[in-house]
Amino acid sequence: PTLYSANWMQFITTTIMAVEYDGGVVIGADSRTTTGAYIANRVTDKLTPIHDRIFCCRSGSAADTQAIADVVTYQLGFHSIELDEAPLVQTAANLFKASCYRYREELMAGIIVAGWDKRRGGQVYTVPVGGMLVRQPVSVGGSGSTYIYGYMDSNYKPNMTKDQCLRLVSGALSLAMERDGSSGGVVRLAAISETGVDRQVILGNQLPKWSTA
Amino acid sequence: MALSNVVETPASGFNFENVSRNVALEGLLEGGHTKAPKPMKTGTTIAGVVCKDGVVLGADTRATSGEVVADKMCAKIHYISPNMYCCGAGTAADTEKTTDLLSSNLTIFSMNSGRNPRVVMAVNILQDMLFRYRGQIGASLILGGVDCTGNHLYTVGPYGSIDNVPYLAMGSGDLAALGILEDRFKPNMELEEAKQLVRDAIHSGIMSDLGSGNNIDICVITKQGVDYIRPYQESEYKDKRQRRYKYRPGTTSILTEKIVPLELEVVQETVQRMDTA
């Protein structure tokens, strides 16, 4: 997308993921930000709150996604105050899509929007590079996502519980981090439901282990 | 002003006008057999550490222009506000101007609102500006400060990305410095230990990176105030000048002296009353 040398550009080459369950969503991400082959931040928080019950998972250019998230946080906050009501996840997703699509030539951002609202419960929307918007029960993104499509397809079942979802996400992320050089660090998880947001961090030595390790 | 999917196109939002301008400029320069000027970079090692009582920032003092050391005692730790200082790596002019602009804006804000500026505010202003310029401002900054919410350390990249971490190193010597920091950093260190750690980190940057060198500056920011120690440690490779390069008064002998007084006469006098009602 950009014409200038991207030597100094920081990328969230990553693995991000979101899963719907009955009553909310579980989102997860690794914690690596790279500048070329150097890891600029090994404890990045890629799960950014947009509103009380709406989060976004960021991948792509660090600067672009931070800026877009800031813009959408403002727009959504304003909208929510005007309406005097909690905003819908669909609204947040559409705001992301609007920015990502309009400036698609200049931006490099792959975002997963996930949250809980009163109307439709837990929802996951994906806005990949280019500005498409689609709702999915499960979504993975980032450079490490390619390694876990098979795992997702075989292990996701509809109507899982929150704990099953947490285990699915942490398992999938550890597998991706194991194989993808651009993902690593710790696993950050968040479970969003009507009662609130429950965040956790799984450190490197506490990650689930797999047989070929 | 509300949602972006209202009928009329909002005038605010991302502005990429400078991108096309820069492309045009580059084309103009390269096509006409003129090379775009090489900016002076501070090949640098800068580092910052959050400790129990505050924040410690450190920097080397070498500024290079190509392969020549342009300034041996360059100040890379810039004043932002009484409670915040900022280390800058990258293009020297960019870091200087950006931090100056930030400092001025925060002073005006302080006067207008009667509040002391917070570190997050400074970081957001920097991020806004650097993102708007799409990486054309080559400034990698480490901003550290103490405010009513605690001790903070942030880094802002040239493209406008922010990271908030307890210890940082930037510049061409960052890998060497980060090695020391990763090895010996502990949360809630004592001030003296933190100063020693930062000094060691900058020292390793100076030893292992050609673009960093000369002296080490340290800036300690605490609730009580700021201790800007410049230099904290001088380079052991300093040389003494062989000669004095200043001429004493009287070196050039005066042969003749002619004094011509200027004769001024009042041609016109106008009085304009100021309306002070």
Side-chain angles (χ1 to χ4, degrees):
Chain A
T2 59
L3 305 155
Y4 310 103
S5 88
N7 288 334
W8 276 102
M9 212 171 190
Q10 290 194 345
F11 281 95
I12 313 183
T13 52
T14 193
T15 317
I16 49 176
M17 195 167 147
V19 184
E20 283 173 19
Y21 67 91
D22 183 23
V25 291
V26 168
I27 57 176
D30 71 306
S31 68
R32 186 172 285 187
T33 313
T34 50
T35 314
Y38 174 62
I39 301 173
N41 188 352
R42 60 182 170 85
V43 285
T44 328
D45 185 5
K46 306 179 191 180
L47 307 175
T48 310
I50 303 296
H51 205 267
D52 295 340
R53 298 284 183 277
I54 305 177
F55 269 64
C56 77
C57 312
R58 301 180 289 115
S59 75
S61 153
D64 288 349
T65 51
Q66 280 174 7
I68 298 170
D70 283 345
V71 163
V72 172
T73 307
Y74 160 72
Q75 290 172 331
L76 198 66
F78 191 94
H79 166 70
S80 170
I81 290 175
E82 266 192 335
L83 238 53
D84 196 19
E85 207 178 88
L88 299 175
V89 186
Q90 187 182 10
T91 312
N94 276 96
L95 287 174
F96 271 106
K97 185 234 5 227
S99 290
C100 292
Y101 182 70
R102 171 165 296 180
Y103 298 106
R104 55 182 298 167
E105 303 304 325
E106 285 90 5
L107 295 172
M108 171 119 88
I111 297 178
I112 299 181
V113 186
W116 181 92
D117 65 32
K118 215 168 52 172
R119 192 182 287 185
R120 297 204 179 96
Q123 299 146 71
V124 171
Y125 294 87
T126 181
V127 182
V129 172
M132 163 182 100
L133 169 64
V134 78
R135 182 182 171 188
Q136 296 176 312
V138 189
S139 189
V140 294
S143 60
S145 65
T146 53
Y147 303 100
I148 49 174
Y149 278 111
Y151 181 82
M152 287 311 311
D153 289 337
S154 54
N155 287 70
Y156 171 73
K157 287 158 195 48
N159 302 323
M160 292 203 292
T161 64
K162 175 174 134 179
D163 285 317
Q164 285 175 320
C165 286
L166 281 165
R167 257 173 292 143
L168 179 71
V169 173
S170 57
L173 286 174
S174 351
L175 284 169
M177 281 155 62
E178 193 76 20
R179 287 290 179 180
D180 180 31
S182 316
S183 302
V186 304
V187 168
R188 292 195 191 274
L189 294 170
I192 311 168
S193 63
E194 178 174 11
T195 46
V197 178
D198 176 26
R199 298 201 63 155
Q200 14 168 321
V201 179
I202 306 182
L203 301 180
N205 55 349
Q206 300 163 344
L207 287 172
K209 301 223 179 342
W210 306 92
S211 55
T212 53
Chain B
M1 243 271 260
L3 280 183
S4 72
N5 40 13
V6 176
V7 179
E8 71 262 316
T9 319
S12 56
F14 298 127
N15 183 338
F16 294 98
E17 282 172 3
N18 283 336
V19 177
S20 30
R21 175 205 76 175
N22 291 337
V23 175
L25 275 177
E26 256 178 42
L28 217 59
L29 284 172
E30 298 299 321
H33 306 294
T34 340
K35 292 214 126 229
K38 251 185 159 335
M40 176 167 102
K41 298 184 134 251
T42 49
T44 287
T45 310
I46 48 177
V49 157
V50 173
C51 61
K52 194 174 69 174
D53 303 315
V55 179
V56 180
L57 299 172
D60 73 304
T61 60
R62 175 180 287 184
T64 49
S65 183
E67 261 67 55
V68 177
V69 176
D71 190 349
K72 290 187 276 191
M73 196 54 179
C74 169
K76 300 184 190 179
I77 308 186
H78 309 282
Y79 167 85
I80 303 291
S81 78
N83 61 331
M84 274 191 258
Y85 274 74
C86 181
C87 306
T91 310
D94 288 344
T95 58
E96 191 69 49
K97 276 304 180 192
T98 307
T99 48
D100 261 355
L101 206 57
L102 176 66
S103 174
S104 309
N105 283 337
L106 285 180
T107 314
I108 294 174
F109 163 79
S110 286
M111 290 190 214
N112 278 340
S113 65
R115 289 174 187 259
N116 278 332
R118 300 192 188 181
V119 186
V120 271
M121 180 177 183
V123 168
N124 281 326
I125 294 176
L126 281 174
Q127 180 184 44
D128 262 349
M129 181 185 164
L130 291 174
F131 182 78
R132 219 176 336 127
Y133 281 92
R134 308 287 291 156
Q136 297 300 304
I137 295 187
S140 298
L141 305 165
I142 295 186
L143 186 73
V146 176
D147 59 27
C148 56
T149 52
N151 313 328
H152 301 284
L153 186 69
Y154 285 88
T155 175
V156 188
Y159 283 84
S161 57
I162 294 183
D163 283 312
N164 178 13
V165 270
Y167 58 93
L168 276 171
M170 298 289 267
S172 54
D174 62 353
L175 256 53
L178 211 49
I180 303 285
L181 290 173
E182 286 281 15
D183 187 33
R184 288 169 26 197
F185 174 81
K186 287 180 292 293
N188 292 324
M189 282 193 295
E190 292 299 330
L191 203 58
E192 281 312 311
E193 205 186 335
K195 274 159 76 172
Q196 190 61 25
L197 179 62
V198 173
R199 181 249 143 223
D200 287 343
I202 304 293
H203 180 76
S204 99
I206 289 176
M207 288 295 135
S208 311
D209 175 42
L210 294 178
S212 308
N214 299 95
N215 309 329
I216 301 178
D217 289 347
I218 295 268
C219 182
V220 184
I221 310 170
T222 55
K223 234 195 218 335
Q224 286 76 39
V226 175
D227 190 12
Y228 190 6
I229 314 168
R230 174 174 155 82
Y232 182 75
Q233 185 185 293
E234 297 212 315
S235 158
E236 46 221 60
Y237 303 103
K238 268 172 87 73
D239 57 2
K240 261 179 69 75
R241 287 236 157 86
Q242 303 300 323
R243 237 168 241 201
R244 282 173 48 85
Y245 294 93
K246 281 192 152 58
Y247 295 98
R248 52 167 184 78
T251 309
T252 311
S253 45
I254 300 175
L255 300 176
T256 47
E257 195 173 307
K258 179 173 173 188
I259 303 175
V260 178
L262 283 173
E263 277 162 24
L264 298 170
E265 58 176 274
V266 179
V267 175
Q268 187 192 43
E269 190 177 317
T270 48
V271 175
Q272 187 170 50
R273 297 220 124 173
M274 207 162 69
D275 186 9
T276 51

